[in-house]
Amino acid sequence: SEFPILNAAAENIKSFDALLDSLKTASSTGELSYLEDSKEKSAEILYRFDLMEEIDSTHKLQIRQMKLDFKSYYSLAFSVAQIMTTKTESPSNFQLRKMQSLRNSYSNSAITYRDAAEHEFQETIRNAITSSERAQVIGAVIGSFMLFLIGALTWLVNRGIVLLEKTVDDRNRMLTQVNNELEQEIQNLKAAEEARNTAEEASHIKDEFLANMSHELRTPMSAVIGLSHLCLQTDLSVKQQDYVRKINSSAKS
């Protein structure tokens, strides 16, 4: 909540991954409901871009360019997914290459923007740690001065010396506790970063696997269906027609 720019950038990357999953599922299964899901994810991403333009005036031009890149990719990707859901035709190689290029361009710019926001977040954490360390030094100096003063005034006020020593100890304990909490928070942030990197790597591997698997299945099966259909238009014996018709039907299934 204290870093809305980083939050919006990270959420947009998550929504984009979910959008890709919806489009891939729609293409492979033919279920139109997944196309509607991708529209909802697209609306979420565009809404966050509008929000980011309002809260991050420094990078407004960069945000607008990312918004345009996303619209270009989604328009083409949605059209390709619609074609593939029909199971009657396939998108052209030019469309697939352009879609991949637009996706890479948008992903790179979105990740770069997110990383810049994350760097600003980490810089804020480092500044907080520096301030804490400075406070510890000041506290130690103040504590030393108080102890010196207490030693000088021991012969006047023994009770006052005890109270002042207790105050110094309380402050030192408080500073130590704050420092321990900050160190724990840093460890938690590092663990979260490692988990995020692992998840992104797994998602990338999954995307490549699904894309390769879909292509490797669709290409030969399209050839089997098409050529068996053409074969049925030729002069064949009854047994041959039966065999080829079964091949065609099984390939479609």
Side-chain angles (χ1 to χ4, degrees):
S1 62
E2 293 297 326
F3 295 88
I5 295 175
L6 174 58
N7 180 66
E11 288 300 319
N12 257 7
I13 291 177
K14 291 180 182 178
S15 295
F16 184 67
D17 289 339
L19 180 145
L20 292 178
D21 288 340
S22 295
L23 291 177
K24 289 175 182 177
T25 304
S27 300
S28 61
T29 65
E31 291 291 337
L32 298 180
S33 60
Y34 289 104
L35 292 179
E36 295 301 320
D37 290 343
S38 73
K39 289 181 180 179
E40 294 180 3
K41 295 300 179 184
S42 173
E44 291 178 9
I45 292 173
L46 293 176
Y47 168 76
R48 289 197 194 94
F49 275 131
D50 292 338
L51 179 63
M52 288 157 63
E53 283 188 73
E54 294 179 4
I55 62 179
D56 188 8
S57 57
T58 304
H59 303 94
K60 186 171 291 187
L61 293 178
Q62 182 183 356
I63 294 170
R64 288 178 179 173
Q65 185 60 49
M66 286 193 295
K67 187 176 181 180
L68 291 175
D69 289 346
F70 171 76
K71 286 183 176 179
S72 299
Y73 167 76
Y74 181 68
S75 177
L76 178 58
F78 188 85
S79 297
V80 169
Q82 279 186 314
I83 292 174
M84 297 177 71
T85 56
T86 63
K87 305 298 183 183
T88 58
E89 58 179 322
S90 299
S92 66
N93 289 332
F94 172 78
Q95 287 178 310
L96 295 175
R97 286 195 299 270
K98 184 177 180 181
M99 185 175 68
Q100 184 67 31
S101 175
L102 291 173
R103 174 188 169 183
N104 292 339
S105 175
Y106 169 74
S107 295
N108 290 337
S109 60
I111 292 173
T112 299
Y113 179 84
R114 189 275 316 279
D115 289 345
E118 188 169 9
H119 176 75
E120 182 180 351
F121 168 77
Q122 293 174 348
E123 191 67 26
T124 302
I125 296 299
R126 282 192 290 268
N127 291 338
I129 295 172
T130 301
S131 298
S132 174
E133 293 173 345
R134 188 181 299 114
Q136 283 185 295
V137 173
I138 295 173
V141 171
I142 293 175
S144 299
F145 174 77
M146 293 296 292
L147 290 174
F148 173 79
L149 183 60
I150 289 170
L153 297 176
T154 299
W155 61 280
L156 291 175
V157 189
N158 288 330
R159 180 177 174 84
I161 291 175
V162 173
L163 292 175
L164 287 173
E165 286 178 341
K166 184 178 183 302
T167 301
V168 172
D169 290 338
D170 289 341
R171 288 181 178 177
N172 285 335
R173 280 195 297 270
M174 179 184 69
L175 289 171
T176 301
Q177 181 180 358
V178 170
N179 187 57
N180 291 336
E181 290 176 353
L182 285 173
E183 289 179 351
Q184 183 62 41
E185 185 64 24
I186 291 171
Q187 293 300 321
N188 292 340
L189 289 173
K190 289 181 179 179
E193 174 67 12
E194 292 175 357
R196 179 183 63 79
N197 290 338
T198 301
E200 287 181 351
E201 182 179 357
S203 177
H204 179 69
I205 293 173
K206 180 192 71 175
D207 289 347
E208 289 185 346
F209 171 74
L210 289 176
N212 290 334
M213 182 180 69
S214 175
H215 175 75
E216 294 300 329
L217 287 174
R218 186 176 291 105
T219 300
M221 292 309 296
S222 295
V224 171
I225 293 172
L227 292 175
S228 61
H229 174 76
L230 293 175
C231 191
L232 287 171
Q233 311 306 314
T234 64
D235 293 330
L236 300 171
S237 67
V238 174
K239 180 176 291 188
Q240 287 174 330
Q241 282 190 341
D242 180 58
Y243 288 163
V244 176
R245 187 175 293 106
K246 288 178 179 178
I247 291 173
N248 185 268
S249 176
S250 298
K252 287 181 179 179
S253 297

